[in-house]
Amino acid sequence: MSIASNISALQQELQPIGVELVAISKTKPNTDILEAYSAGQRVFGENQVQELVAKYEELPKDIQWHLVGHLQTNKVKYIASFITLIHSVDSLKVLQEINKQALKHDRTIDCLLQIFIADEDTKFGLDHAEVIELLRSEEFAALKNIRIRGLMGIASNTENQKIVKEEFYELKMLFDGIKTTYFRKEDSFNILSMGMSSDYQLAIEQGSNMVRLGSTIFGKRVIKHYKAQ
Ligand SMILES: *Cc1c(COP(=O)(O)O)cnc(C)c1O
């Protein structure tokens, strides 16, 4: 299957059920991204700021770029002018920096709060208590140039479907609870980003409306480090 036909098949599967496809293009060359683009894909995600900025500069300007990887405070400035959605906000500190840089560019930056749901300690994210503390804080209330659009989570990397399903279920419950308590009047709190190539169908069953797919579209990633082209 070609990249273009993978995109078409996925869009046919996902569009009718209202699930947004983010094509995760990390480590992949621009030629691959352009093939997906030619098939109509406009939303792409990267996990590293440097690679994201290089691709943003080289590729068509109507691409909507999402950041899905961990964001360090000192790197926010490089993406603040153009980023469409940051999936990986995991502290008040980084949110404050995003707000500051967004203000400089006279814009509002859409963000998701990344929630730690996996049964592993290698993954970033806020736990339940931390996300509630953040949302209730005065510091958060003062941020006017960011908009929280929803939550993101990465499930455990396991063959055990039951565990993955429970983690997605837990995130959906948290999403519903947070929406009711903190965003009742904000229709824009409406994104639940969960599901990757290995588990996106399970994620959709559990209520995901945004999936982040890399290898399903572009094939396996063989190179670990991106080289600027
Ligand atoms: C790499 C990555 C993906 C896509 O992974 P695949 O298994 O290739 O679909 C999704 N989300 C995040 C946060 C990633 O880093």
Side-chain angles (χ1 to χ4, degrees):
M1 291 277 275
S2 68
I3 291 170
S5 59
N6 291 339
I7 291 288
S8 306
L10 281 164
Q11 288 295 10
Q12 271 177 41
E13 177 185 348
L14 299 174
Q15 266 172 4
I17 54 173
V19 175
E20 173 112 57
L21 172 62
V22 184
I24 304 297
S25 48
K26 62 189 184 194
T27 78
K28 297 296 175 183
N30 290 347
T31 47
D32 285 8
I33 298 175
L34 286 169
E35 191 181 335
Y37 180 90
S38 303
Q41 183 66 26
R42 290 294 179 274
V43 181
F44 291 86
E46 290 283 333
N47 72 334
Q48 284 186 9
V49 168
Q50 199 188 355
E51 183 172 345
L52 173 60
V53 170
K55 288 175 175 174
Y56 163 72
E57 284 168 358
E58 291 158 359
L59 289 161
K61 289 296 172 283
D62 62 339
I63 288 181
Q64 297 170 33
W65 290 103
H66 291 195
L67 182 75
V68 300
H70 182 65
L71 178 58
Q72 287 172 287
T73 310
N74 61 356
K75 300 222 170 125
V76 175
K77 57 177 177 285
Y78 302 117
I79 60 169
S81 68
F82 69 89
I83 197 77
T84 298
L85 181 66
I86 301 174
H87 290 232
S88 43
V89 171
D90 61 359
S91 71
L92 178 63
K93 199 171 121 240
V94 79
L95 205 51
Q96 286 172 320
E97 179 64 16
I98 296 167
N99 187 73
K100 183 176 145 192
Q101 297 297 333
L103 186 61
K104 276 191 190 166
H105 293 280
D106 195 25
R107 63 180 294 234
T108 299
I109 296 182
D110 282 350
C111 297
L112 305 178
L113 298 173
Q114 182 173 352
I115 308 299
F116 178 82
I117 54 170
D119 187 22
E120 296 160 24
D121 43 36
T122 52
K123 292 191 172 131
F124 293 103
L126 300 154
D127 67 25
H128 288 207
E130 288 167 339
V131 69
I132 301 303
E133 187 188 329
L134 187 155
L135 291 170
R136 294 173 89 158
S137 68
E138 284 175 21
E139 291 92 338
F140 173 71
L143 305 177
K144 302 299 180 208
N145 287 70
I146 53 103
R147 182 167 66 162
I148 302 296
R149 297 291 311 273
L151 305 181
M152 182 274 244
I154 302 172
S156 293
N157 184 12
T158 168
E159 302 279 293
N160 189 329
Q161 301 261 306
K162 186 164 170 283
I163 291 176
V164 174
K165 187 177 163 181
E166 280 169 7
E167 289 169 355
F168 287 146
Y169 176 79
E170 177 194 320
L171 186 56
K172 173 66 159 82
M173 289 300 112
L174 185 67
F175 176 87
D176 290 344
I178 286 177
K179 179 156 180 70
T180 311
T181 311
Y182 301 99
F183 297 95
R184 184 186 288 277
K185 295 193 188 111
E186 281 145 89
D187 293 340
S188 56
F189 186 91
N190 60 5
I191 299 176
L192 182 53
S193 166
M194 57 184 200
M196 307 172 32
S197 292
S198 60
D199 56 22
Y200 78 92
Q201 275 131 340
L202 213 50
I204 292 169
E205 275 171 37
Q206 297 303 314
S208 167
N209 60 14
M210 183 175 279
V211 293
R212 310 176 308 269
L213 305 186
S215 42
T216 297
I217 298 168
F218 297 106
K220 282 208 187 94
R221 286 177 294 275
V222 283
I223 45 167
K224 288 227 171 68
H225 297 288
Y226 171 78
K227 292 195 194 77
Q229 292 163 22

